Amino acid sequence: MHLHQATPLIPSRALSLLAGRDVWLKMEAFQPPGSFKIRGIGLSCQHYLHQGAERFVSSSGGNAGMAVAWAGRQLGVPVIVVVPETTSARAVELLRQENAEVIVHGASWQEANHYAQSLSGSKDAFLHPFDDPLLWQGHATMIDEVAADGCKPDVVILSVGGGGLLNGVVEGLQRNGWHDVPVIAVETEGAASFHAALQAGHTVELAAINSVAGSLGAKRVSEQSLRCAATHPIHSALVTDSQAIAACSRFLNDHRVLTEPACGASLAVIYDSHPLLAAFRKPLVIVCGGATVTAEQLWHLSEKR
């Protein structure tokens, strides 16, 4: 039994008319915990439970933490989630709704992650938010579903934070024989660790994250993401915070679905006709979701632009 759900694959009339091409959406925002993360997290939790884990430990105040908490409640396994001090009260509330024990520690995710790892004992399973082959294997199932629906895009557009989604989508494309389908990997300008890695030829740690797209706020992208770039056609795209926020607002109006700015980054490629889009006629956008954003928060962000 999977903990994730097969999500709708829908043609977007609004975006297709706007872009002048056939735009498809993989609606990962409809997953029970609110994002694609449950695909890989769910697989990992089931794997570690089978190996005898008695508790799940994670380090995320966002989508990954929500996925671990939700999976733990479904499986009857206690969960500890360590979140940094920057985590919103809304996120903490949602984690506690899933019966997770929430510990606030550190000024950044890196500090929270280090502390979470120190809590993990011999009977615990530590769930990394993005850097684990089990996660990528689980995330790849969204491409399996697209293939099963008989829809082959000519490009996949997705947002990149730590790289877990990118790694999973590339794995899914390759195991379905879609080596010829490139990926447009989108980041906001203040959280572009993948773009920096491509430029340097190796992963680098950003000095700081300067973006409202908190879910993209990994200072260093996974090594696997750079390996994916060497084995699959991947184009790096950057958008501004303002573009990501505006895309969320427009998508809410067009599709009645609330997403966070991290997801809005990939949607902005369509809404703002990014130059990379010109070469493609049938793009698929991974609408990755966003568990903790509220309509009020999105409105305030829009007002500040």
Side-chain angles (χ1 to χ4, degrees), residues 98-143:
E98 297 294 342
N99 297 334
E101 178 185 348
V102 182
I103 297 174
V104 181
H105 180 88
S108 67
W109 170 78
Q110 283 77 10
E111 292 179 28
N113 185 59
H114 181 74
Y115 185 67
Q117 289 176 316
S118 75
L119 297 176
S120 187
S122 60
K123 296 288 189 178
D124 298 331
F126 178 74
L127 282 301
H128 196 283
F130 57 83
D131 201 1
D132 184 336
L134 280 171
L135 298 181
W136 315 330
Q137 181 183 338
H139 298 338
T141 58
M142 72 180 71
I143 301 301

Side-chain angles (χ1 to χ4, degrees), residues 74-116:
Q74 297 299 310
L75 296 171
V77 177
V79 172
I80 290 180
V81 182
V82 182
V83 303
E85 296 161 0
T86 53
T87 304
S88 69
R90 170 66 174 168
V92 172
E93 176 190 3
L94 289 173
L95 288 167
R96 288 177 174 154
Q97 281 182 10
E98 297 294 342
N99 297 334
E101 178 185 348
V102 182
I103 297 174
V104 181
H105 180 88
S108 67
W109 170 78
Q110 283 77 10
E111 292 179 28
N113 185 59
H114 181 74
Y115 185 67

Side-chain angles (χ1 to χ4, degrees), residues 84 86 106-113 128-131 160-163 187-198 200 202-211 213-223 225:
T86 53
S108 67
W109 170 78
Q110 283 77 10
E111 292 179 28
N113 185 59
H128 196 283
F130 57 83
D131 201 1
V160 178
E187 299 168 284
T188 52
E189 291 175 350
S193 60
F194 178 61
H195 184 78
L198 289 179
H202 56 82
T203 62
V204 296
E205 182 165 322
L206 301 179
I209 299 297
N210 297 301
S211 173
S215 294
L216 303 184
K219 288 185 177 181
R220 184 188 298 268
V221 77
S222 70
E223 296 286 346
S225 299

Side-chain angles (χ1 to χ4, degrees), residues 238-296:
L238 300 181
V239 300
T240 65
D241 276 358
S242 292
Q243 287 176 305
I245 294 165
C248 290
S249 296
R250 296 174 73 176
F251 191 73
L252 179 59
N253 290 334
D254 287 336
H255 287 281
R256 288 79 60 196
V257 175
L258 180 64
T259 57
E260 65 180 7
C263 181
S266 53
L267 291 167
V269 170
I270 304 291
Y271 279 116
D272 291 306
S273 300
H274 193 283
L276 284 173
L277 193 62
F280 305 104
R281 302 309 304 169
K282 191 177 181 181
L284 169 67
V285 183
I286 307 298
V287 183
C288 52
T292 61
V293 72
T294 66
E296 183 180 21

